[in-house]
Amino acid sequence: MPEAEPALAVAARTDPGQKRERNEDAYGYRLTENGGVFVVADGMGGHAHGDRAARLAVETVLERLAGRDPSPALLVDALEEANRKIFQTARAERAEGMGTTATVLVVDFPYALIAHVGDSRAYLLRNGLLVQLTQDHSWVADRVREGLLRPEDARAHRWKNVITNALGTFPEVEVDLLGLRLKPGDLLLLSTDGLHGVLGEEAIARVLTADLPLEVALDRLVELANAWGGPDNITTIAVRADRVPAGEEKPYALLLSGDQPVYIRARSGDTELVLPRRAPKYRLSEVVLLLLWLGLLAYVLLSQRP
Ligand code: CA
């Protein structure tokens, strides 16, 4: 029997950008029998501390999830452990301000779980529409949620880099968690703010829907972010589910039985993310009007016959 095509297509890129000497981002992933684990992290703290924090986050999460059945609880646990490790390292080395964001994607067919801390993001491209799944833990995102700042003003705000939650900066960390049932063709994109702080959703969507091989699409995204000034380190992982194997029944499946991504744990109190729908070509009211008009025409024509 010929071997089945792999269910997942994966590509990853990291680039220092145009303005920074160091690359303080890190990423890593491991494919598993039933999907895989994917992590991006954006370190901070200057000197070598940012890179260390980001790498510690990636390594700890991959180690913690290795060989275990993924679950929402395990994912939170992995990020909490990364937090403890980085916090202790920072204290031992007197590295003030050492910390990192982390966005983790676990594909556990037919589900995807996403956990995050900070302002690195996960997006879902489904049916040609790109949706930001994660909500930034940042000062500007909090103000947008409160209605005090317009989303279009957040990107250029002078406090856009202020994050309100990170791994390693406090003994406790708050982890947001969401999940969804995958559909064939779904593409999940993880990114640090060197990418999404420069490129808006429309630009990202345009590249991802251009029918390019994943590696080429990510090269384009990195080139675009650099062409737009490359003010920060740029890191991104793309994971596309070309097939969605049925998988085993998961204890957490009940949480994700609907058609939409669901927040399992969120600081903002949201319970469900509603994906935008592609607008139908004709609206129902237009179809009804057309039918009425045709009916009237037929009536007039028929009633004129001798
Ligand atoms: Ca960054």
Side-chain angles (χ1 to χ4, degrees):
M1 211 173 87
E3 208 164 300
E5 288 282 305
L8 285 181
V10 182
R13 291 289 183 272
T14 190
D15 187 275
Q18 302 295 304
K19 301 277 157 72
R20 304 276 172 101
E21 265 174 36
R22 306 185 71 94
N23 190 345
E24 296 192 313
D25 285 356
Y27 76 87
Y29 66 89
R30 181 189 293 122
L31 296 175
T32 62
E33 219 168 272
N34 206 29
V37 183
F38 310 85
V39 193
V40 299
D42 177 350
M44 62 207 153
H47 305 291
H49 302 313
D51 336 10
R52 285 265 322 278
R55 266 184 290 119
L56 260 174
V58 171
E59 284 162 17
T60 308
V61 169
L62 289 178
E63 256 167 47
R64 191 82 185 95
L65 290 169
R68 290 188 175 86
D69 249 350
S71 70
L74 183 63
L75 210 46
V76 172
D77 192 57
L79 283 171
E80 285 176 347
E81 189 174 317
N83 182 61
R84 271 193 302 277
K85 272 194 185 168
I86 300 163
F87 185 74
Q88 282 161 6
T89 308
R91 254 202 340 194
E93 298 180 9
R94 297 175 182 276
E96 281 281 315
M98 176 173 170
T100 184
T101 72
T103 298
V104 185
L105 161 68
V106 172
V107 175
D108 184 23
F109 285 124
Y111 300 100
L113 296 169
I114 292 152
H116 87 108
V117 172
D119 67 352
S120 298
R121 289 183 184 169
Y123 292 92
L124 170 68
L125 181 80
R126 176 178 283 177
N127 300 328
L129 293 170
L130 188 75
V131 181
Q132 182 185 330
L133 293 176
T134 51
Q135 301 204 350
D136 294 351
H137 300 158
S138 68
W139 188 89
V140 289
D142 287 348
R143 299 294 85 75
V144 169
R145 277 193 285 278
E146 290 166 0
L148 299 174
L149 192 67
R150 292 184 306 174
E152 57 269 35
D153 294 333
R155 193 192 306 270
H157 199 280
R158 65 197 166 110
W159 288 355
K160 65 182 190 310
N161 292 324
V162 177
I163 62 174
T164 50
N165 186 29
L167 291 178
T169 46
F170 290 104
E172 304 288 327
V173 67
E174 287 184 80
V175 179
D176 274 2
L177 190 66
L178 66 113
L180 63 136
R181 203 190 163 96
L182 289 166
K183 296 185 173 186
D186 278 356
L187 190 156
L188 289 143
L189 186 84
L190 309 184
S191 60
T192 61
D193 66 342
L195 186 82
H196 59 249
V198 179
L199 303 180
E201 261 166 44
E202 216 178 303
I204 297 174
R206 197 169 283 194
V207 173
L208 293 180
T209 53
D211 219 8
L212 302 163
L214 271 193
E215 288 83 4
V216 180
L218 292 197
D219 283 339
R220 283 290 149 78
L221 287 176
V222 170
E223 281 163 23
L224 272 177
N226 275 325
W228 225 247
D232 199 355
N233 308 143
I234 307 157
T235 300
T236 180
I237 303 183
V239 179
R240 193 182 59 222
D242 291 327
R243 289 185 296 120
V244 178
E248 288 167 31
E249 198 51 42
K250 303 293 175 348
Y252 61 83
L254 198 63
L255 290 172
L256 309 177
S257 53
D259 203 29
Q260 305 288 343
V262 173
Y263 287 107
I264 299 167
R265 228 173 101 147
R267 304 194 322 160
S268 56
D270 290 313
T271 54
E272 193 173 342
L273 256 178
V274 178
L275 297 174
R277 289 179 190 284
R278 206 186 266 282
K281 281 226 169 92
Y282 301 103
R283 262 178 268 166
L284 186 63
S285 55
E286 287 168 353
V287 174
V288 169
L289 271 180
L290 181 71
L291 286 175
L292 278 175
W293 187 83
L294 284 174
L296 187 66
L297 186 70
Y299 173 77
V300 170
L301 288 176
L302 285 175
S303 61
Q304 281 176 351
R305 277 166 69 154

